[in-house]
Amino acid sequence: ALATLSRVLASGGVLLATVPGITRISAVDDELWGEWWHYTARSARRLAEEAFAEGSVEVETFGNVLAASGFLYGLASRDLRSEQLEAHDPLYQVIVGIRAVKRAS
């Protein structure tokens, strides 16, 4: 899918995408081997750089264990305080954001 998006974008075009990353990340396993079987900042970057080239991709993650739990329990954003939603926990990446730029050919 990312290769197709890269192909159809005009030169200099920008892809903005989000993917779900709701699974808890094991810090030890991620450090030793990486977590490649679900979306994480690391796996999203690797996939996007394969399609758009190294150095043309930015990845940012959002979320924490409370936001993940709230999502799974069906809570609305108004059910949590903004500081609870805005707290960042790299082991609970609820949303993985990708910005990739197609380089001039």
Side-chain angles (χ1 to χ4, degrees):
L2 287 169
T4 298
L5 291 168
S6 176
R7 182 179 55 79
V8 300
L9 270 175
S11 182
V14 178
L15 168 74
L16 299 176
T18 59
V19 294
I22 191 95
T23 306
R24 181 186 182 281
I25 296 171
S26 167
V28 173
D29 290 342
D30 189 44
E31 179 71 26
L32 292 173
W33 302 287
E35 293 215 14
W36 305 109
W37 46 89
H38 54 94
Y39 290 117
T40 64
R42 184 191 306 246
S43 66
R45 177 178 304 283
R46 181 176 175 180
L47 289 170
E49 285 183 344
E50 286 177 4
F52 284 88
E54 191 173 328
S56 63
V57 174
E58 297 173 32
V59 175
E60 187 173 355
T61 63
F62 306 89
N64 57 66
V65 68
L66 181 60
S69 298
F71 171 77
L72 293 172
Y73 282 110
L75 298 179
S77 61
R78 67 180 174 273
D79 294 325
L80 298 171
R81 295 188 313 274
S82 60
E83 61 269 14
Q84 291 173 316
L85 289 172
E86 293 168 5
H88 179 259
D89 183 347
L91 297 181
Y92 284 92
Q93 301 173 359
V94 178
I95 297 173
V96 180
I98 304 166
R99 180 183 188 275
V101 180
K102 182 173 181 177
R103 293 187 177 164
S105 15

